Amino acid sequence: MDVSRRTALKVGVFGGAALLLPLERTVGASTALPPRMPSSSLPVPFTIPFARPPVLYPVRTDSTTDFYRVVMAPLRTEVIPGFQTNFFAYNQSVPGPTIRVKRGRQTVVRMINQLPAKHPVLNYTPWTSVHLHGSPSAPQFDGYASDVTNPGQFKDYYYPNTQPGRTIWYHDHGVSHTAENVYMGLAAQYHVVDPMEDSLGLPRGEFEVPLTISDAMFTTDGSLLVDNHDGSGIYGDVILVNGRPWPAMKVKRRKYRFRVLNGSVSRSYNLFLDSGDQFKVIATDGGLMPRPMSVSSMRQGMAERYDIVIDFSKYPAGRRVVLGNRSPKNNIGYPNVDKIMAFDVIGDGFDPSNNSVPDVLNPDDPVMALKVADAVQTRTFDFGRSHGQFTINGHTWEDVVKSGFTRIEANPRHGDTELWVINNLSGGWFHPVHIHLVDFKIVDRNGKPPFAYENGPKDVVYVGENESVRLLMKFEGRGKYMMHCHNTVHEDHDMMAQFQVFDDTTPSIDPLSDPCTTLPDGQL
Ligand code: C2O
Ligand code: CU
Ligand code: CU
């Protein structure tokens, strides 16, 4: 059925949970927290083998579209050797399965909420809203926070996949509980594979590897410990890569492309190789950079994606290279959070094709061609804190909810280019700021050029302590979209706003116009 007809049919049944005010917030009850698992019970770094998340295959395809089915349900599994941990998982995998789609093919993903009626420890209702982060989805399929799907319901999401190839991800965005739901495991990579990249000779297949980095803390019985530090952040003492603590990966003596996603709730990283060698950054959130950038370290905030190429050919077999973390400030430190994973070089033979990084990757990216002089409007967004809440221009998402979803922070016109200034006027927090719908170019930070690795299309920008960042973006699409801090604890408490892209002739679709559907008799 086509999207507009389907939407029209469902408008009549809308109502209920999405309109409730978010009263069920999780409070930071620091005094009642269970004891943390002692470091002596945690695995020694680099003793657990690396693994890639499973790849999800469509349940059906036709000439234009791939159809997928994803069930969100509890998962009990071993992450810390000798302990069982309860997660919320997409298709029984944490992180969830990787979806890979060719640019230009549509996808429809049925997201089925089979989570329990209440979170087993925190007691909130795990309603969900799935956001495909890095996709110019229509408003009703963008994971609008208040467009929630309750346990026992499902929603079909339509994704156009028209954007240039890139590493993106799907994760939960349910209003007020995004942080807990993501921390529980509801996050996964999604790759838009672009035939334009095929001729470049970049590492692929076995040598193209997703790395989703996250952090977690466990109680003495192996449960996830959730301490949101009075609404400011959830930090773990265990670093997970694709769900495994400090794994070790065997690598052959050649180049690898890693699709690195910071999937943490609140922790940022500054990644480097302990060999002191540089690596090449080839793609940012929005896909290939105009040219690769060699760096010896890289600051990566939550939700940022960087595709990097590491060349292991110069190391002898038997050498171990560690991917380390020099923590940016305002993260909570623990003994081994300075380590991410290890690469163990092996002497096995390998396929020598697709083993290069050309000097020019995507020179004509339209986002990177934007100029300050193109901007018809300049807008300022102050990310701050007042009365224990995190705010954007003094407001919270609760103000948007209370307005009946009419409150908007900006109203750019379809087709216009605008300059957005994002200010973090505090020394106490950093805010990785995400703007839905668009890709942007970072013009400068505190008047200086962005870091070398930021010279590509972006949809999240690290706005560090006392930083002011200027962004250029062109608005395509129509309708209301969110922008927020991607410390999802800040987002939930309540640093999120919306903007509305308007068009003089075409009305925009309400993000709440395609509510979820109840499962017949609780069945799929
Ligand atoms: Cu990755 Cu609005 O989020
Ligand atoms: Cu997004
Ligand atoms: Cu923040």
Side-chain angles (χ1 to χ4, degrees):
M1 196 186 305
D2 82 58
V3 177
S4 52
R5 192 168 112 73
R6 194 172 154 281
T7 300
L9 284 173
K10 280 198 192 173
V11 171
V13 300
F14 173 65
L19 292 175
L20 290 176
L21 287 175
L23 298 173
E24 281 192 79
R25 286 179 199 289
T26 307
V27 292
S30 321
T31 48
L33 288 172
R36 158 156 79 104
M37 184 179 284
S39 310
S40 56
S41 298
L42 298 175
V44 173
F46 320 138
T47 54
I48 291 178
F50 175 84
R52 304 173 195 228
V55 172
L56 188 63
Y57 293 97
V59 289
R60 182 163 74 81
T61 63
D62 66 22
S63 56
T64 59
T65 309
D66 299 335
F67 298 83
Y68 292 89
R69 190 169 161 280
V70 173
V71 177
M72 298 174 263
L75 167 69
R76 192 168 164 78
T77 191
E78 182 178 293
V79 167
I80 303 300
F83 294 89
Q84 293 285 311
T85 304
N86 293 316
F87 292 95
F88 289 167
Y90 291 127
N91 285 359
Q92 296 294 290
S93 172
V94 173
T98 306
I99 293 179
R100 279 174 69 90
V101 60
K102 223 197 213 148
R103 181 183 187 188
R105 277 189 71 74
Q106 267 200 94
T107 44
V108 178
V109 187
R110 173 161 296 184
M111 295 287 186
I112 303 156
N113 184 339
Q114 293 211 322
L115 294 168
K118 294 281 176 197
H119 184 285
V121 178
L122 302 171
N123 224 35
Y124 69 91
T125 301
W127 55 54
T128 58
S129 177
V130 184
H131 175 50
L132 180 57
H133 180 143
S135 163
S137 307
Q140 70 275 34
F141 304 123
D142 195 47
Y144 193 70
S146 298
D147 178 29
V148 298
T149 301
N150 276 297
Q153 299 178 320
F154 72 90
K155 173 162 171 152
D156 292 339
Y157 287 82
Y158 289 68
Y159 301 129
N161 307 311
T162 47
Q163 73 275 47
R166 60 186 66 186
T167 304
I168 63 179
W169 61 309
Y170 58 102
H171 65 77
D172 194 61
H173 220 302
V175 66
S176 303
H177 295 294
T178 296
E180 294 90 4
N181 286 349
V182 169
Y183 186 67
M184 288 295 288
L186 295 176
Q189 291 203 12
Y190 183 115
H191 303 159
V192 179
V193 180
D194 198 329
M196 187 274 267
E197 291 186 16
D198 290 356
S199 60
L200 295 176
L202 296 167
R204 53 203 277 201
E206 179 193 343
F207 308 108
E208 178 195 334
V209 185
L211 294 188
T212 297
I213 304 173
S214 61
D215 59 327
M217 186 174 278
F218 298 84
T219 66
T220 47
D221 70 0
S223 310
L224 283 172
L225 197 160
V226 186
D227 179 356
N228 75 15
H229 297 91
D230 295 315
S232 63
I234 299 174
Y235 301 89
D237 54 354
V238 176
I239 302 295
L240 304 170
V241 179
N242 298 341
R244 298 196 166 201
W246 302 285
M249 177 188 183
K250 290 190 170 52
V251 292
K252 297 173 182 170
R253 300 183 59 228
R254 54 156 288 154
K255 294 188 178 73
Y256 282 70
R257 172 185 187 165
F258 296 100
R259 295 179 180 261
V260 187
L261 160 67
N262 177 355
S264 282
V265 169
S266 304
R267 184 178 294 286
S268 66
Y269 301 90
N270 196 314
L271 302 175
F272 71 99
L273 298 172
D274 74 340
S275 60
D277 290 315
Q278 296 196 321
F279 52 90
K280 280 187 179 165
V281 184
I282 60 166
T284 49
D285 307 325
L288 290 180
M289 305 165 81
R291 39 196 64 73
M293 292 288 166
S294 291
V295 302
S296 39
S297 69
M298 177 179 83
R299 179 172 81 164
Q300 186 169 10
M302 297 78 80
E304 286 187 288
R305 290 90 65 209
Y306 289 106
D307 289 24
I308 64 174
V309 173
I310 304 178
D311 188 353
F312 298 103
S313 64
K314 63 186 287 190
Y315 308 117
R319 174 75 189 269
R320 166 171 283 178
V321 179
V322 171
L323 181 64
N325 170 34
R326 298 188 189 102
S327 291
K329 56 183 167 176
N330 290 311
N331 287 286
I332 298 180
Y334 295 101
N336 281 322
V337 300
D338 59 345
K339 302 170 188 68
I340 307 288
M341 66 178 289
F343 302 105
D344 288 328
V345 180
I346 57 171
D348 296 20
F350 55 83
D351 176 355
S353 61
N354 299 309
N355 194 19
S356 55
V357 178
D359 293 334
V360 174
L361 295 166
N362 186 19
D364 301 319
D365 188 285
V367 177
M368 298 313 289
L370 293 173
K371 308 231 166 348
V372 172
D374 301 335
V376 299
Q377 213 28 280
T378 300
R379 303 181 198 265
T380 303
F381 301 86
D382 291 332
F383 280 64
R385 194 171 203 205
S386 68
H387 305 111
Q389 293 278 93
F390 289 94
T391 58
I392 301 174
N393 286 343
H395 291 279
T396 62
W397 187 254
E398 197 152 325
D399 294 333
V400 174
V401 174
K402 282 186 184 146
S403 73
F405 303 101
T406 58
R407 187 188 162 80
I408 51 173
E409 217 53 50
N411 58 338
R413 180 192 299 263
H414 175 92
D416 277 0
T417 298
E418 298 200 354
L419 183 68
W420 285 20
V421 184
I422 315 278
N423 295 322
N424 174 7
L425 306 172
S426 96
W429 318 99
F430 62 90
H431 303 297
V433 173
H434 173 43
I435 304 173
H436 282 229
L437 178 69
V438 293
D439 294 336
F440 51 72
K441 172 183 172 179
I442 303 177
V443 179
D444 50 24
R445 175 182 280 107
N446 292 354
K448 297 196 204 77
F451 296 114
Y453 49 85
E454 293 177 309
N455 284 300
K458 296 279 293 162
D459 60 37
V460 181
V461 60
Y462 198 119
V463 189
E465 297 78 1
N466 296 303
E467 288 182 3
S468 172
V469 176
R470 295 198 304 160
L471 311 173
L472 271 174
M473 67 206 83
K474 180 173 180 178
F475 291 88
E476 315 279 0
R478 292 164 191 87
K480 289 178 197 151
Y481 288 91
M482 301 173 288
M483 63 183 292
H484 57 89
C485 175
H486 223 295
N487 177 334
T488 44
V489 178
H490 294 185
E491 172 190 330
D492 286 338
H493 297 85
D494 198 18
M495 194 173 242
M496 184 158 71
Q498 65 177 352
F499 59 96
Q500 181 164 22
V501 185
F502 77 99
D503 178 317
D504 294 325
T505 49
T506 321
S508 63
I509 302 170
D510 186 329
L512 293 169
S513 65
D514 186 74
C516 57
T517 304
T518 301
L519 299 170
D521 302 326
Q523 296 304 300
L524 304 189

